[in-house]
mmCIF file of all heavy atoms in Angstrom:
data_model
loop_
_atom_site.group_PDB
_atom_site.id
_atom_site.type_symbol
_atom_site.label_atom_id
_atom_site.label_comp_id
_atom_site.label_asym_id
_atom_site.label_seq_id
_atom_site.Cartn_x
_atom_site.Cartn_y
_atom_site.Cartn_z
ATOM 1 N N HIS W 1 -3.857 -24.779 -33.502
ATOM 2 C CA HIS W 1 -4.964 -25.577 -34.037
ATOM 3 C C HIS W 1 -5.609 -26.414 -32.927
ATOM 4 O O HIS W 1 -6.832 -26.441 -32.776
ATOM 5 C CB HIS W 1 -4.462 -26.469 -35.173
ATOM 6 C CG HIS W 1 -5.509 -27.331 -35.763
ATOM 7 N ND1 HIS W 1 -6.480 -26.850 -36.608
ATOM 8 C CD2 HIS W 1 -5.778 -28.655 -35.606
ATOM 9 C CE1 HIS W 1 -7.280 -27.831 -36.960
ATOM 10 N NE2 HIS W 1 -6.878 -28.946 -36.367
ATOM 11 N N ASP W 2 -4.782 -27.100 -32.151
ATOM 12 C CA ASP W 2 -5.292 -27.916 -31.043
ATOM 13 C C ASP W 2 -5.944 -27.055 -29.964
ATOM 14 O O ASP W 2 -6.935 -27.447 -29.361
ATOM 15 C CB ASP W 2 -4.170 -28.753 -30.428
ATOM 16 C CG ASP W 2 -3.641 -29.803 -31.385
ATOM 17 O OD1 ASP W 2 -4.348 -30.157 -32.354
ATOM 18 O OD2 ASP W 2 -2.506 -30.273 -31.156
ATOM 19 N N ARG W 3 -5.390 -25.876 -29.759
ATOM 20 C CA ARG W 3 -5.940 -24.963 -28.754
ATOM 21 C C ARG W 3 -7.355 -24.509 -29.137
ATOM 22 O O ARG W 3 -8.223 -24.367 -28.282
ATOM 23 C CB ARG W 3 -5.001 -23.768 -28.564
ATOM 24 C CG ARG W 3 -5.257 -22.990 -27.311
ATOM 25 C CD ARG W 3 -4.149 -21.986 -26.961
ATOM 26 N NE ARG W 3 -3.580 -21.259 -28.083
ATOM 27 C CZ ARG W 3 -2.375 -21.472 -28.607
ATOM 28 N NH1 ARG W 3 -1.586 -22.408 -28.113
ATOM 29 N NH2 ARG W 3 -1.949 -20.755 -29.625
ATOM 30 N N ALA W 4 -7.605 -24.326 -30.436
ATOM 31 C CA ALA W 4 -8.946 -23.933 -30.896
ATOM 32 C C ALA W 4 -9.965 -25.024 -30.553
ATOM 33 O O ALA W 4 -11.067 -24.731 -30.075
ATOM 34 C CB ALA W 4 -8.933 -23.652 -32.391
ATOM 35 N N GLY W 5 -9.607 -26.286 -30.790
ATOM 36 C CA GLY W 5 -10.494 -27.395 -30.430
ATOM 37 C C GLY W 5 -10.675 -27.505 -28.926
ATOM 38 O O GLY W 5 -11.770 -27.792 -28.435
ATOM 39 N N TRP W 6 -9.608 -27.275 -28.174
ATOM 40 C CA TRP W 6 -9.649 -27.306 -26.708
ATOM 41 C C TRP W 6 -10.627 -26.253 -26.181
ATOM 42 O O TRP W 6 -11.407 -26.523 -25.280
ATOM 43 C CB TRP W 6 -8.232 -27.079 -26.176
ATOM 44 C CG TRP W 6 -8.096 -27.007 -24.704
ATOM 45 C CD1 TRP W 6 -8.018 -28.053 -23.819
ATOM 46 C CD2 TRP W 6 -7.980 -25.825 -23.910
ATOM 47 N NE1 TRP W 6 -7.867 -27.589 -22.540
ATOM 48 C CE2 TRP W 6 -7.837 -26.221 -22.566
ATOM 49 C CE3 TRP W 6 -7.979 -24.462 -24.219
ATOM 50 C CZ2 TRP W 6 -7.701 -25.307 -21.527
ATOM 51 C CZ3 TRP W 6 -7.847 -23.553 -23.190
ATOM 52 C CH2 TRP W 6 -7.715 -23.982 -21.863
ATOM 53 N N ARG W 7 -10.587 -25.058 -26.785
ATOM 54 C CA ARG W 7 -11.516 -23.990 -26.358
ATOM 55 C C ARG W 7 -12.971 -24.378 -26.608
ATOM 56 O O ARG W 7 -13.848 -24.106 -25.792
ATOM 57 C CB ARG W 7 -11.192 -22.687 -27.090
ATOM 58 C CG ARG W 7 -9.987 -21.988 -26.558
ATOM 59 C CD ARG W 7 -9.876 -20.578 -27.155
ATOM 60 N NE ARG W 7 -8.585 -20.037 -26.889
ATOM 61 C CZ ARG W 7 -7.635 -19.841 -27.804
ATOM 62 N NH1 ARG W 7 -7.858 -20.140 -29.072
ATOM 63 N NH2 ARG W 7 -6.477 -19.339 -27.466
ATOM 64 N N LEU W 8 -13.233 -25.016 -27.746
ATOM 65 C CA LEU W 8 -14.594 -25.479 -28.039
ATOM 66 C C LEU W 8 -15.037 -26.503 -26.997
ATOM 67 O O LEU W 8 -16.179 -26.464 -26.517
ATOM 68 C CB LEU W 8 -14.666 -26.080 -29.440
ATOM 69 C CG LEU W 8 -14.533 -25.104 -30.602
ATOM 70 C CD1 LEU W 8 -14.343 -25.859 -31.913
ATOM 71 C CD2 LEU W 8 -15.739 -24.182 -30.672
ATOM 72 N N ALA W 9 -14.146 -27.417 -26.644
ATOM 73 C CA ALA W 9 -14.464 -28.433 -25.636
ATOM 74 C C ALA W 9 -14.704 -27.776 -24.282
ATOM 75 O O ALA W 9 -15.618 -28.174 -23.552
ATOM 76 C CB ALA W 9 -13.342 -29.461 -25.550
ATOM 77 N N ARG W 10 -13.911 -26.787 -23.935
ATOM 78 C CA ARG W 10 -14.080 -26.085 -22.648
ATOM 79 C C ARG W 10 -15.449 -25.403 -22.582
ATOM 80 O O ARG W 10 -16.116 -25.450 -21.549
ATOM 81 C CB ARG W 10 -12.978 -25.048 -22.448
ATOM 82 C CG ARG W 10 -11.574 -25.578 -22.417
ATOM 83 C CD ARG W 10 -11.151 -26.141 -21.139
ATOM 84 N NE ARG W 10 -11.032 -25.127 -20.105
ATOM 85 C CZ ARG W 10 -10.702 -25.411 -18.858
ATOM 86 N NH1 ARG W 10 -10.444 -26.654 -18.507
ATOM 87 N NH2 ARG W 10 -10.623 -24.469 -17.968
ATOM 88 N N ALA W 11 -15.864 -24.781 -23.677
ATOM 89 C CA ALA W 11 -17.175 -24.123 -23.708
ATOM 90 C C ALA W 11 -18.293 -25.154 -23.574
ATOM 91 O O ALA W 11 -19.280 -24.926 -22.867
ATOM 92 C CB ALA W 11 -17.327 -23.319 -25.000
ATOM 93 N N ALA W 12 -18.148 -26.292 -24.240
ATOM 94 C CA ALA W 12 -19.147 -27.364 -24.135
ATOM 95 C C ALA W 12 -19.205 -27.896 -22.710
ATOM 96 O O ALA W 12 -20.298 -28.136 -22.169
ATOM 97 C CB ALA W 12 -18.827 -28.490 -25.120
ATOM 98 N N LEU W 13 -18.058 -28.071 -22.083
ATOM 99 C CA LEU W 13 -18.023 -28.561 -20.702
ATOM 100 C C LEU W 13 -18.606 -27.546 -19.717
ATOM 101 O O LEU W 13 -19.234 -27.939 -18.731
ATOM 102 C CB LEU W 13 -16.590 -28.919 -20.297
ATOM 103 C CG LEU W 13 -16.044 -30.193 -20.929
ATOM 104 C CD1 LEU W 13 -14.549 -30.308 -20.663
ATOM 105 C CD2 LEU W 13 -16.784 -31.413 -20.406
ATOM 106 N N ALA W 14 -18.422 -26.266 -19.991
ATOM 107 C CA ALA W 14 -19.014 -25.239 -19.134
ATOM 108 C C ALA W 14 -20.540 -25.319 -19.202
ATOM 109 O O ALA W 14 -21.228 -25.230 -18.180
ATOM 110 C CB ALA W 14 -18.523 -23.855 -19.544
ATOM 111 N N ARG W 15 -21.054 -25.512 -20.395
ATOM 112 C CA ARG W 15 -22.510 -25.668 -20.575
ATOM 113 C C ARG W 15 -22.992 -26.948 -19.887
ATOM 114 O O ARG W 15 -24.023 -26.958 -19.221
ATOM 115 C CB ARG W 15 -22.830 -25.697 -22.066
ATOM 116 C CG ARG W 15 -24.285 -25.696 -22.398
ATOM 117 C CD ARG W 15 -24.861 -24.341 -22.186
ATOM 118 N NE ARG W 15 -26.191 -24.277 -22.766
ATOM 119 C CZ ARG W 15 -26.968 -23.248 -22.640
ATOM 120 N NH1 ARG W 15 -26.570 -22.186 -21.990
ATOM 121 N NH2 ARG W 15 -28.160 -23.266 -23.163
ATOM 122 N N ASP W 16 -22.228 -28.013 -20.050
ATOM 123 C CA ASP W 16 -22.515 -29.300 -19.416
ATOM 124 C C ASP W 16 -22.603 -29.125 -17.897
ATOM 125 O O ASP W 16 -23.558 -29.592 -17.262
ATOM 126 C CB ASP W 16 -21.411 -30.287 -19.792
ATOM 127 C CG ASP W 16 -21.496 -31.608 -19.058
ATOM 128 O OD1 ASP W 16 -22.369 -32.413 -19.410
ATOM 129 O OD2 ASP W 16 -20.670 -31.841 -18.160
ATOM 130 N N ALA W 17 -21.644 -28.453 -17.317
ATOM 131 C CA ALA W 17 -21.624 -28.250 -15.865
ATOM 132 C C ALA W 17 -22.788 -27.360 -15.425
ATOM 133 O O ALA W 17 -23.441 -27.635 -14.414
ATOM 134 C CB ALA W 17 -20.295 -27.631 -15.435
ATOM 135 N N GLY W 18 -23.058 -26.325 -16.205
ATOM 136 C CA GLY W 18 -24.135 -25.397 -15.855
ATOM 137 C C GLY W 18 -25.515 -26.024 -15.884
ATOM 138 O O GLY W 18 -26.395 -25.642 -15.103
ATOM 139 N N LEU W 19 -25.707 -26.968 -16.773
ATOM 140 C CA LEU W 19 -27.030 -27.589 -16.919
ATOM 141 C C LEU W 19 -27.093 -29.009 -16.362
ATOM 142 O O LEU W 19 -28.128 -29.665 -16.450
ATOM 143 C CB LEU W 19 -27.458 -27.569 -18.388
ATOM 144 C CG LEU W 19 -27.655 -26.159 -18.969
ATOM 145 C CD1 LEU W 19 -27.960 -26.221 -20.454
ATOM 146 C CD2 LEU W 19 -28.756 -25.423 -18.226
ATOM 147 N N GLY W 20 -25.977 -29.495 -15.816
ATOM 148 C CA GLY W 20 -25.967 -30.803 -15.162
ATOM 149 C C GLY W 20 -26.162 -31.987 -16.085
ATOM 150 O O GLY W 20 -26.776 -32.974 -15.697
ATOM 151 N N TRP W 21 -25.613 -31.924 -17.295
ATOM 152 C CA TRP W 21 -25.776 -33.033 -18.235
ATOM 153 C C TRP W 21 -24.962 -34.261 -17.848
ATOM 154 O O TRP W 21 -25.415 -35.377 -18.069
ATOM 155 C CB TRP W 21 -25.367 -32.624 -19.645
ATOM 156 C CG TRP W 21 -26.152 -31.531 -20.270
ATOM 157 C CD1 TRP W 21 -27.418 -31.124 -19.958
ATOM 158 C CD2 TRP W 21 -25.715 -30.691 -21.326
ATOM 159 N NE1 TRP W 21 -27.797 -30.089 -20.763
ATOM 160 C CE2 TRP W 21 -26.767 -29.802 -21.616
ATOM 161 C CE3 TRP W 21 -24.542 -30.600 -22.055
ATOM 162 C CZ2 TRP W 21 -26.679 -28.833 -22.617
ATOM 163 C CZ3 TRP W 21 -24.448 -29.641 -23.051
ATOM 164 C CH2 TRP W 21 -25.513 -28.769 -23.327
ATOM 165 N N GLY W 22 -23.751 -34.060 -17.383
ATOM 166 C CA GLY W 22 -22.873 -35.184 -17.054
ATOM 167 C C GLY W 22 -22.468 -35.996 -18.268
ATOM 168 O O GLY W 22 -22.488 -37.229 -18.227
ATOM 169 N N LEU W 23 -22.067 -35.331 -19.347
ATOM 170 C CA LEU W 23 -21.763 -36.036 -20.594
ATOM 171 C C LEU W 23 -20.625 -37.033 -20.474
ATOM 172 O O LEU W 23 -20.681 -38.105 -21.076
ATOM 173 C CB LEU W 23 -21.449 -35.037 -21.712
ATOM 174 C CG LEU W 23 -22.630 -34.213 -22.199
ATOM 175 C CD1 LEU W 23 -22.166 -33.218 -23.249
ATOM 176 C CD2 LEU W 23 -23.729 -35.110 -22.740
ATOM 177 N N LEU W 24 -19.599 -36.706 -19.708
ATOM 178 C CA LEU W 24 -18.483 -37.646 -19.580
ATOM 179 C C LEU W 24 -18.892 -38.890 -18.803
ATOM 180 O O LEU W 24 -18.373 -39.973 -19.042
ATOM 181 C CB LEU W 24 -17.280 -36.965 -18.937
ATOM 182 C CG LEU W 24 -16.594 -35.931 -19.830
ATOM 183 C CD1 LEU W 24 -15.505 -35.197 -19.067
ATOM 184 C CD2 LEU W 24 -16.035 -36.583 -21.078
ATOM 185 N N GLU W 25 -19.855 -38.744 -17.912
ATOM 186 C CA GLU W 25 -20.355 -39.896 -17.160
ATOM 187 C C GLU W 25 -21.498 -40.592 -17.890
ATOM 188 O O GLU W 25 -21.787 -41.756 -17.641
ATOM 189 C CB GLU W 25 -20.853 -39.460 -15.771
ATOM 190 C CG GLU W 25 -19.786 -38.867 -14.870
ATOM 191 C CD GLU W 25 -19.495 -37.396 -15.192
ATOM 192 O OE1 GLU W 25 -20.385 -36.685 -15.693
ATOM 193 O OE2 GLU W 25 -18.349 -36.972 -14.958
ATOM 194 N N ASN W 26 -22.176 -39.880 -18.771
ATOM 195 C CA ASN W 26 -23.332 -40.410 -19.477
ATOM 196 C C ASN W 26 -23.254 -40.054 -20.969
ATOM 197 O O ASN W 26 -24.067 -39.284 -21.477
ATOM 198 C CB ASN W 26 -24.618 -39.850 -18.849
ATOM 199 C CG ASN W 26 -25.852 -40.535 -19.349
ATOM 200 O OD1 ASN W 26 -25.787 -41.564 -20.014
ATOM 201 N ND2 ASN W 26 -27.002 -39.961 -19.061
ATOM 202 N N PRO W 27 -22.283 -40.621 -21.697
ATOM 203 C CA PRO W 27 -22.089 -40.248 -23.098
ATOM 204 C C PRO W 27 -23.216 -40.694 -24.030
ATOM 205 O O PRO W 27 -23.282 -40.253 -25.172
ATOM 206 C CB PRO W 27 -20.768 -40.933 -23.465
ATOM 207 C CG PRO W 27 -20.631 -42.046 -22.490
ATOM 208 C CD PRO W 27 -21.298 -41.573 -21.224
ATOM 209 N N ARG W 28 -24.126 -41.538 -23.556
ATOM 210 C CA ARG W 28 -25.243 -41.973 -24.409
ATOM 211 C C ARG W 28 -26.190 -40.826 -24.724
ATOM 212 O O ARG W 28 -27.039 -40.952 -25.604
ATOM 213 C CB ARG W 28 -25.993 -43.130 -23.751
ATOM 214 C CG ARG W 28 -25.006 -44.267 -23.518
ATOM 215 C CD ARG W 28 -25.372 -45.674 -23.554
ATOM 216 N NE ARG W 28 -26.402 -46.313 -24.247
ATOM 217 C CZ ARG W 28 -26.324 -46.757 -25.509
ATOM 218 N NH1 ARG W 28 -25.268 -46.520 -26.223
ATOM 219 N NH2 ARG W 28 -27.313 -47.424 -26.039
ATOM 220 N N ARG W 29 -26.019 -39.705 -24.045
ATOM 221 C CA ARG W 29 -26.828 -38.534 -24.356
ATOM 222 C C ARG W 29 -26.404 -37.885 -25.671
ATOM 223 O O ARG W 29 -27.136 -37.053 -26.214
ATOM 224 C CB ARG W 29 -26.751 -37.514 -23.217
ATOM 225 C CG ARG W 29 -27.391 -38.045 -21.935
ATOM 226 C CD ARG W 29 -27.613 -36.967 -20.939
ATOM 227 N NE ARG W 29 -28.699 -36.108 -21.385
ATOM 228 C CZ ARG W 29 -29.129 -35.056 -20.690
ATOM 229 N NH1 ARG W 29 -28.580 -34.758 -19.536
ATOM 230 N NH2 ARG W 29 -30.113 -34.306 -21.150
ATOM 231 N N LEU W 30 -25.250 -38.260 -26.180
ATOM 232 C CA LEU W 30 -24.779 -37.732 -27.460
ATOM 233 C C LEU W 30 -25.435 -38.522 -28.587
ATOM 234 O O LEU W 30 -25.268 -39.721 -28.690
ATOM 235 C CB LEU W 30 -23.254 -37.853 -27.556
ATOM 236 C CG LEU W 30 -22.452 -37.125 -26.491
ATOM 237 C CD1 LEU W 30 -20.969 -37.438 -26.630
ATOM 238 C CD2 LEU W 30 -22.697 -35.629 -26.543
ATOM 239 N N ARG W 31 -26.202 -37.851 -29.429
ATOM 240 C CA ARG W 31 -26.922 -38.512 -30.524
ATOM 241 C C ARG W 31 -26.035 -38.541 -31.767
ATOM 242 O O ARG W 31 -26.047 -37.617 -32.565
ATOM 243 C CB ARG W 31 -28.228 -37.772 -30.825
ATOM 244 C CG ARG W 31 -29.185 -37.621 -29.679
ATOM 245 C CD ARG W 31 -30.210 -38.724 -29.543
ATOM 246 N NE ARG W 31 -30.753 -39.254 -30.749
ATOM 247 C CZ ARG W 31 -31.871 -38.865 -31.346
ATOM 248 N NH1 ARG W 31 -32.593 -37.897 -30.834
ATOM 249 N NH2 ARG W 31 -32.289 -39.444 -32.443
ATOM 250 N N ILE W 32 -25.260 -39.589 -31.885
ATOM 251 C CA ILE W 32 -24.387 -39.788 -33.035
ATOM 252 C C ILE W 32 -24.764 -41.148 -33.591
ATOM 253 O O ILE W 32 -24.498 -42.167 -32.967
ATOM 254 C CB ILE W 32 -22.906 -39.729 -32.617
ATOM 255 C CG1 ILE W 32 -22.633 -38.408 -31.894
ATOM 256 C CG2 ILE W 32 -22.003 -39.904 -33.825
ATOM 257 C CD1 ILE W 32 -21.393 -38.417 -31.055
ATOM 258 N N GLU W 33 -25.428 -41.148 -34.741
ATOM 259 C CA GLU W 33 -26.078 -42.360 -35.209
ATOM 260 C C GLU W 33 -25.878 -42.592 -36.695
ATOM 261 O O GLU W 33 -25.518 -41.683 -37.427
ATOM 262 C CB GLU W 33 -27.589 -42.253 -34.942
ATOM 263 C CG GLU W 33 -27.929 -41.951 -33.513
ATOM 264 C CD GLU W 33 -29.415 -41.708 -33.301
ATOM 265 O OE1 GLU W 33 -30.166 -41.592 -34.285
ATOM 266 O OE2 GLU W 33 -29.802 -41.634 -32.139
ATOM 267 N N THR W 34 -26.204 -43.799 -37.105
ATOM 268 C CA THR W 34 -26.277 -44.091 -38.527
ATOM 269 C C THR W 34 -27.654 -43.660 -39.034
ATOM 270 O O THR W 34 -28.592 -43.455 -38.253
ATOM 271 C CB THR W 34 -26.100 -45.598 -38.808
ATOM 272 O OG1 THR W 34 -27.180 -46.298 -38.198
ATOM 273 C CG2 THR W 34 -24.768 -46.107 -38.294
ATOM 274 N N ILE W 35 -27.779 -43.557 -40.338
ATOM 275 C CA ILE W 35 -29.077 -43.225 -40.935
ATOM 276 C C ILE W 35 -30.108 -44.286 -40.549
ATOM 277 O O ILE W 35 -31.245 -43.963 -40.209
ATOM 278 C CB ILE W 35 -28.942 -43.093 -42.464
ATOM 279 C CG1 ILE W 35 -28.092 -41.876 -42.800
ATOM 280 C CG2 ILE W 35 -30.301 -43.015 -43.133
ATOM 281 C CD1 ILE W 35 -27.690 -41.776 -44.251
ATOM 282 N N ASP W 36 -29.710 -45.551 -40.587
ATOM 283 C CA ASP W 36 -30.628 -46.637 -40.226
ATOM 284 C C ASP W 36 -31.097 -46.516 -38.778
ATOM 285 O O ASP W 36 -32.284 -46.705 -38.487
ATOM 286 C CB ASP W 36 -29.959 -47.997 -40.428
ATOM 287 C CG ASP W 36 -29.732 -48.322 -41.890
ATOM 288 O OD1 ASP W 36 -30.337 -47.662 -42.755
ATOM 289 O OD2 ASP W 36 -28.948 -49.235 -42.169
ATOM 290 N N ALA W 37 -30.189 -46.222 -37.862
ATOM 291 C CA ALA W 37 -30.561 -46.092 -36.452
ATOM 292 C C ALA W 37 -31.505 -44.919 -36.243
ATOM 293 O O ALA W 37 -32.468 -45.010 -35.473
ATOM 294 C CB ALA W 37 -29.318 -45.933 -35.587
ATOM 295 N N LEU W 38 -31.254 -43.814 -36.938
ATOM 296 C CA LEU W 38 -32.146 -42.664 -36.816
ATOM 297 C C LEU W 38 -33.535 -43.007 -37.339
ATOM 298 O O LEU W 38 -34.551 -42.694 -36.704
ATOM 299 C CB LEU W 38 -31.586 -41.449 -37.559
ATOM 300 C CG LEU W 38 -32.496 -40.225 -37.536
ATOM 301 C CD1 LEU W 38 -32.633 -39.659 -36.126
ATOM 302 C CD2 LEU W 38 -31.981 -39.162 -38.494
ATOM 303 N N ASN W 39 -33.605 -43.694 -38.483
ATOM 304 C CA ASN W 39 -34.907 -44.079 -39.043
ATOM 305 C C ASN W 39 -35.657 -45.010 -38.098
ATOM 306 O O ASN W 39 -36.870 -44.877 -37.918
ATOM 307 C CB ASN W 39 -34.726 -44.734 -40.409
ATOM 308 C CG ASN W 39 -34.369 -43.729 -41.478
ATOM 309 O OD1 ASN W 39 -34.677 -42.550 -41.367
ATOM 310 N ND2 ASN W 39 -33.704 -44.187 -42.514
ATOM 311 N N ALA W 40 -34.953 -45.946 -37.498
ATOM 312 C CA ALA W 40 -35.598 -46.856 -36.547
ATOM 313 C C ALA W 40 -36.112 -46.083 -35.338
ATOM 314 O O ALA W 40 -37.225 -46.344 -34.864
ATOM 315 C CB ALA W 40 -34.619 -47.945 -36.109
ATOM 316 N N TRP W 41 -35.337 -45.129 -34.845
ATOM 317 C CA TRP W 41 -35.768 -44.317 -33.703
ATOM 318 C C TRP W 41 -37.020 -43.523 -34.068
ATOM 319 O O TRP W 41 -37.986 -43.475 -33.292
ATOM 320 C CB TRP W 41 -34.639 -43.378 -33.268
ATOM 321 C CG TRP W 41 -35.033 -42.488 -32.131
ATOM 322 C CD1 TRP W 41 -35.023 -42.800 -30.806
ATOM 323 C CD2 TRP W 41 -35.530 -41.146 -32.230
ATOM 324 N NE1 TRP W 41 -35.470 -41.723 -30.064
ATOM 325 C CE2 TRP W 41 -35.787 -40.700 -30.915
ATOM 326 C CE3 TRP W 41 -35.766 -40.274 -33.289
ATOM 327 C CZ2 TRP W 41 -36.273 -39.426 -30.637
ATOM 328 C CZ3 TRP W 41 -36.246 -39.003 -33.016
ATOM 329 C CH2 TRP W 41 -36.496 -38.594 -31.709
ATOM 330 N N LEU W 42 -37.024 -42.915 -35.258
ATOM 331 C CA LEU W 42 -38.193 -42.141 -35.694
ATOM 332 C C LEU W 42 -39.424 -43.042 -35.798
ATOM 333 O O LEU W 42 -40.517 -42.656 -35.374
ATOM 334 C CB LEU W 42 -37.913 -41.470 -37.050
ATOM 335 C CG LEU W 42 -36.940 -40.307 -37.021
ATOM 336 C CD1 LEU W 42 -36.577 -39.892 -38.440
ATOM 337 C CD2 LEU W 42 -37.505 -39.134 -36.241
ATOM 338 N N ALA W 43 -39.269 -44.228 -36.345
ATOM 339 C CA ALA W 43 -40.388 -45.158 -36.482
ATOM 340 C C ALA W 43 -40.932 -45.553 -35.107
ATOM 341 O O ALA W 43 -42.144 -45.684 -34.924
ATOM 342 C CB ALA W 43 -39.967 -46.393 -37.262
ATOM 343 N N ARG W 44 -40.056 -45.728 -34.136
ATOM 344 C CA ARG W 44 -40.509 -46.079 -32.782
ATOM 345 C C ARG W 44 -41.264 -44.946 -32.117
ATOM 346 O O ARG W 44 -42.082 -45.165 -31.232
ATOM 347 C CB ARG W 44 -39.318 -46.492 -31.916
ATOM 348 C CG ARG W 44 -38.783 -47.880 -32.234
ATOM 349 C CD ARG W 44 -37.789 -48.361 -31.199
ATOM 350 N NE ARG W 44 -36.671 -47.463 -30.994
ATOM 351 C CZ ARG W 44 -35.534 -47.461 -31.699
ATOM 352 N NH1 ARG W 44 -35.369 -48.339 -32.678
ATOM 353 N NH2 ARG W 44 -34.573 -46.613 -31.428
ATOM 354 N N GLN W 45 -41.021 -43.705 -32.550
ATOM 355 C CA GLN W 45 -41.722 -42.561 -31.979
ATOM 356 C C GLN W 45 -43.169 -42.491 -32.473
ATOM 357 O O GLN W 45 -44.021 -41.899 -31.833
ATOM 358 C CB GLN W 45 -40.996 -41.250 -32.313
ATOM 359 C CG GLN W 45 -39.566 -41.192 -31.837
ATOM 360 C CD GLN W 45 -39.392 -41.587 -30.393
ATOM 361 O OE1 GLN W 45 -39.983 -40.998 -29.501
ATOM 362 N NE2 GLN W 45 -38.605 -42.621 -30.152
ATOM 363 N N LEU W 46 -43.440 -43.096 -33.609
ATOM 364 C CA LEU W 46 -44.769 -43.094 -34.220
ATOM 365 C C LEU W 46 -45.186 -44.524 -34.524
ATOM 366 O O LEU W 46 -45.340 -44.915 -35.681
ATOM 367 C CB LEU W 46 -44.755 -42.261 -35.508
ATOM 368 C CG LEU W 46 -44.305 -40.815 -35.360
ATOM 369 C CD1 LEU W 46 -44.009 -40.207 -36.706
ATOM 370 C CD2 LEU W 46 -45.368 -40.020 -34.618
ATOM 371 N N PRO W 47 -45.408 -45.347 -33.501
ATOM 372 C CA PRO W 47 -45.632 -46.781 -33.743
ATOM 373 C C PRO W 47 -46.859 -47.086 -34.591
ATOM 374 O O PRO W 47 -46.834 -48.016 -35.395
ATOM 375 C CB PRO W 47 -45.764 -47.369 -32.341
ATOM 376 C CG PRO W 47 -46.058 -46.222 -31.456
ATOM 377 C CD PRO W 47 -45.464 -45.002 -32.101
#
């Protein structure tokens, strides 16, 4: 079970390395938000 999750992480890291995202150094690139935060972000896009 843990190995399946590890494989998913390895594939994500391979993509990260290939495209130079630097997710472990710059985790703010991960969009994990509350509904309120998403709504505020959308509103800021269309002031």
Side-chain angles (χ1 to χ4, degrees):
H1 179 75
D2 294 340
R3 196 168 40 254
W6 177 82
R7 284 191 193 110
L8 290 169
R10 299 279 292 178
L13 287 170
R15 187 75 168 175
D16 173 75
L19 296 175
W21 298 338
L23 291 177
L24 290 174
E25 297 80 28
N26 191 11
R28 302 212 27 86
R29 294 194 72 180
L30 300 175
R31 303 269 322 266
I32 305 161
E33 306 174 350
T34 63
I35 293 170
D36 291 344
L38 177 67
N39 286 335
W41 178 83
L42 288 171
R44 285 191 304 273
Q45 302 311 302
L46 303 166

